[in-house]
Amino acid sequence: MNKEEKKIIRRSTSQRDLVLEAVRTGNHLSAREIFVLVSQKKPMSFGTVYRNLQILAEAGEIIAIPNDPTLLRYDSQSYHHHHLHCRKCGRIFDMPLTYRDEFDKEAAEKSGFVIDSHSISFEGLCHDCQDEQ
Ligand SMILES: [Zn+2]
Ligand SMILES: [Zn+2]
């Protein structure tokens, strides 16, 4: 590895740390929201932030929540858990419900897939949006 390569790795690592830090400060933030947070600390393009989010998600450091395909949100808690999605304000909350490993086992038996995990999303109205009604 030459000097230039080392510099690139160091640079991308610190960018990644900033992105990870931003994901951890918020609650199920979207890529745009994470981009705004990171930009306050260090100028970075949206593409760079997005690429780092993908790398972190692939590494299992964070998870991408696919509720809204146009607005991917990221979770700093990468253990298996489910989500509540408010259909009015779009916010996502953690669902305090036990993750059932037997679902994975049953799905593997029925489909022949190698199952890594499953996710359940509950749709509805959050407390704030209920109060507004
Ligand atoms: Zn809401
Ligand atoms: Zn979550």
Side-chain angles (χ1 to χ4, degrees):
M1 196 186 290
N2 66 34
K3 241 186 188 165
E4 196 50 38
E5 283 172 330
K6 273 188 191 157
K7 222 161 58 190
I8 288 167
I9 286 183
R10 205 176 307 134
R11 192 172 62 215
S12 65
T13 303
S14 82
Q15 284 178 334
R16 200 160 306 153
D17 288 345
L18 280 174
V19 171
L20 184 59
E21 201 182 291
V23 176
R24 288 186 172 149
T25 55
N27 183 24
H28 305 108
L29 298 175
S30 69
R32 276 281 156 204
E33 290 167 328
I34 292 161
F35 168 65
V36 170
L37 278 177
V38 171
S39 300
Q40 288 165 356
K41 301 214 164 155
K42 193 180 183 178
M44 222 183 281
S45 72
F46 180 72
T48 302
V49 171
Y50 190 70
R51 199 170 60 242
N52 278 294
L53 285 169
Q54 285 180 308
I55 291 168
L56 287 165
E58 268 167 38
E61 292 271 352
I62 60 173
I63 52 167
I65 311 165
N67 278 74
D68 182 348
T70 63
L71 193 71
L72 213 50
R73 289 178 181 274
Y74 293 87
D75 200 333
S76 62
Q77 302 190 310
S78 55
Y79 67 93
H80 291 155
H81 64 285
H82 304 307
H83 289 115
L84 296 149
H85 176 231
C86 178
R87 62 177 150 80
K88 200 165 168 203
C89 67
R91 282 187 295 171
I92 289 173
F93 304 87
D94 286 330
M95 176 74 196
L97 195 75
T98 309
Y99 183 92
R100 295 179 208 277
D101 288 313
E102 61 265 30
F103 278 180
D104 293 341
K105 232 184 265 168
E106 202 180 323
E109 279 166 16
K110 295 209 163 150
S111 66
F113 263 55
V114 175
I115 305 286
D116 299 320
S117 67
H118 67 272
S119 62
I120 300 178
S121 171
F122 298 87
E123 306 291 324
L125 283 175
C126 73
H127 293 289
D128 291 347
C129 291
Q130 285 173 46
D131 290 343
E132 275 172 33
Q133 284 202 327

